[in-house]
Amino acid sequence: RRRLAPLNEDNGRFLLLAALIAAYLSAGATVFSALESPSEAAAQLRWNRTLHNFSRIFNISLPELRAFLRSYEAAMAAGIRVDALRPRWDFPGAFYFVGTVVSTIGFGMTTPATVAGKVFLIVYGLFGCAGTILFFNLFLERIISLLAFIMKACHERQLRRSGLLPPNFRRGPAMAGVGSLVGWKPSVYHVMLILGIFAITLSCCASAMYTAVEGWNYVDSLYYCFVTFSTIGFGDLVSSQNAAYQNQGLYRFGNFIFILMGVCCIYSLFNVISIVIKQVLNWVLKKFECRCCPKCHKSSARLGRRNAITPGARLRRHNISMDADGQYDSDTEGRRLSGEMISMRELTASNKVSLAILQKQLSETANGYPRNVCINTRQNGFSAGVGALAIMNNRLAETSDSR
């Protein structure tokens, strides 16, 4: 009879995270509903009262007034305003639009109205968003490398002061990276703290600029910075939309730099926070491990011994059998006494080679790793993660030691 394999760590972490996200969404919906629903109902009541008073005072029927307001809403959606605004589709406006597209901000204040524009946007966004995500990953790799270099220098300085490092110790070549000091790697929590401080400082500086130029209050400016830098992009507040500004060219350049640096920084911070969340999930899973049912552990160990093809398990079993009995000349002979009809030696060896090549290609081509990256054959091709997660696992201490 076939038995269901126990839930592994990756699937358990995925299901736990899905449950936590569902609970997080429900809690957020509850809070926002409690905060915003009364204000929405009051605003709707005031609008209905204003509409009826306007219809009565100026002797306009409500259907005609509603038709006029629908036309006004259509004009608003098309970008037409009562006050003079900047052109939406001149080159600076179009450049601002494509920047919000490829960065996935998507304010929504400008949208293509023609069929050709909508079709071109699909193709343009496909490659543009992919390239921008790659740029964010490369930025993440370099900012982590820079922080690791600085933190390593500080760590060496502390060791020299404490006498644990000789004064004539010289740092290895630049190619050695963060692993040249006895396997030392920076802490993910320190990196998260540094990125958080930088993101807060950047947001405060950008908010001061928006408050002075756009005329928003400081809280609205901070709100705009978070919504924009995190690529949420509601579009209720959009910068650089007036017809003219004082020092307009300088303001547009500063606005572009702040948005670019803010998006890159918040993207890096989000990835570091995701690693911390993963560590919390691992801790929760360890707390939920079944320690009161030895039958489950015995059955899972027996199933793993007989049917699972795990890298390194074949070599360990072969060494144990050779040391204990000394009578097996091959892996095949050692397996026959366990009841297995075929040997998995060739299949396991080919799987190791294929997975090692796959992991090397993923590391070199997708994540920009150096070509002399060490391949850990105990993991499959995707166990270390792809993209930002792989960068963090390779660079920081807690993630590399967690497996």
Side-chain angles (χ1 to χ4, degrees):
R1 297 176 59 186
R2 295 183 61 183
R3 294 185 178 181
L4 294 176
L7 191 66
N8 59 29
E9 181 182 356
D10 291 334
N11 291 334
R13 187 188 302 114
F14 174 77
L15 294 177
L16 179 59
L17 181 60
L20 291 178
I21 289 177
Y24 191 78
L25 293 176
S26 300
T30 303
V31 172
F32 279 111
S33 178
L35 292 176
E36 301 296 334
S37 182
S39 176
E40 181 186 24
Q44 184 66 41
L45 184 61
R46 289 195 302 269
W47 171 248
N48 291 334
R49 188 183 302 112
T50 301
L51 197 64
H52 284 82
N53 291 337
F54 188 89
S55 173
R56 179 176 54 82
I57 293 173
F58 293 96
N59 196 20
I60 301 175
S61 65
L62 283 177
E64 293 178 352
L65 182 57
R66 293 184 187 275
F68 173 77
L69 293 175
R70 291 190 188 97
S71 299
Y72 175 74
E73 290 177 352
M76 288 284 292
I80 300 173
R81 300 293 188 273
V82 176
D83 296 328
L85 296 178
R86 55 171 294 176
R88 294 297 178 93
W89 291 109
D90 60 351
F91 184 79
F95 187 84
Y96 193 81
F97 168 73
V98 296
T100 61
V101 169
V102 299
S103 61
T104 69
I105 296 176
F107 285 126
M109 80 290 183
T110 305
T111 56
T114 62
V115 176
K118 294 178 180 178
V119 172
F120 178 74
L121 177 63
I122 295 174
V123 180
Y124 184 85
L126 179 66
F127 294 97
C129 293
T132 306
I133 290 174
L134 176 60
F135 174 80
F136 289 160
N137 285 331
L138 295 179
F139 178 88
L140 170 65
E141 182 181 1
R142 278 148 184 79
I143 192 65
I144 293 299
S145 299
L146 176 62
L147 292 178
F149 178 80
I150 297 174
M151 295 171 67
K152 182 186 173 184
C154 296
H155 182 67
E156 291 179 1
R157 187 177 180 181
Q158 291 179 356
L159 290 180
R160 287 192 183 94
R161 288 183 175 180
S162 60
L164 299 178
L165 196 66
N168 58 352
F169 175 80
R170 290 186 177 183
R171 191 179 293 107
M175 292 298 293
V178 295
S180 61
L181 187 62
V182 199
W184 181 86
K185 286 187 177 182
S187 171
V188 63
Y189 305 106
H190 294 164
V191 173
M192 182 179 66
L193 178 62
I194 294 173
L195 286 176
I197 293 174
F198 183 73
I200 293 174
T201 304
L202 187 67
S203 299
C204 291
C205 295
S207 299
M209 182 187 70
Y210 294 133
T211 301
V213 178
E214 297 287 349
W216 303 334
N217 61 58
Y218 198 76
V219 175
D220 287 341
S221 299
L222 282 175
Y223 164 80
Y224 168 77
C225 288
F226 176 76
V227 169
T228 301
F229 297 167
S230 60
T231 71
I232 296 175
F234 288 128
D236 49 348
L237 290 176
V238 181
S239 63
S240 188
Q241 295 302 302
N242 293 335
Y245 292 95
Q246 187 177 4
N247 300 322
Q248 182 166 312
L250 182 62
Y251 171 62
R252 287 181 177 177
F253 177 76
N255 186 36
F256 174 78
I257 294 299
F258 272 122
I259 291 178
L260 176 63
M261 296 301 299
V263 171
C264 291
C265 183
I266 294 297
Y267 175 85
S268 302
L269 181 62
F270 282 169
N271 280 285
V272 178
I273 294 176
S274 69
I275 296 297
V276 177
I277 294 175
K278 183 180 177 183
Q279 294 297 319
V280 174
L281 294 177
N282 291 337
W283 179 80
V284 173
L285 287 176
K286 288 181 181 180
K287 293 296 182 180
F288 286 166
E289 282 181 353
C290 178
R291 297 186 180 91
C292 60
C293 185
K295 293 182 180 180
C296 296
H297 294 282
K298 291 181 180 179
S299 61
S300 62
R302 183 166 58 252
L303 287 173
R305 180 179 181 272
R306 288 180 56 86
N307 298 325
I309 304 174
T310 56
R314 176 187 60 81
L315 183 59
R316 288 195 299 270
R317 289 197 298 268
H318 181 64
N319 292 336
I320 293 174
S321 62
M322 289 294 291
D323 294 338
D325 300 329
Q327 59 183 352
Y328 303 131
D329 295 332
S330 66
D331 183 72
T332 305
E333 294 181 1
R335 289 177 178 273
R336 283 173 183 167
L337 294 181
S338 67
E340 297 186 20
M341 300 300 295
I342 61 174
S343 174
M344 297 296 179
R345 185 169 187 171
E346 293 80 6
L347 180 60
T348 306
S350 63
N351 283 345
K352 284 184 178 180
V353 174
S354 300
L355 293 174
I357 293 175
L358 176 60
Q359 187 174 3
K360 184 178 179 64
Q361 290 176 348
L362 286 172
S363 299
E364 291 182 356
T365 60
N367 302 324
Y369 285 178
R371 293 187 178 276
N372 59 351
V373 64
C374 177
I375 298 176
N376 189 352
T377 57
R378 293 181 299 172
Q379 302 178 5
N380 60 38
F382 296 97
S383 59
V386 178
L389 184 60
I391 295 172
M392 303 299 296
N393 284 335
N394 186 64
R395 291 288 193 269
L396 303 180
E398 282 76 9
T399 56
S400 61
D401 296 335
S402 62
R403 287 185 175 269

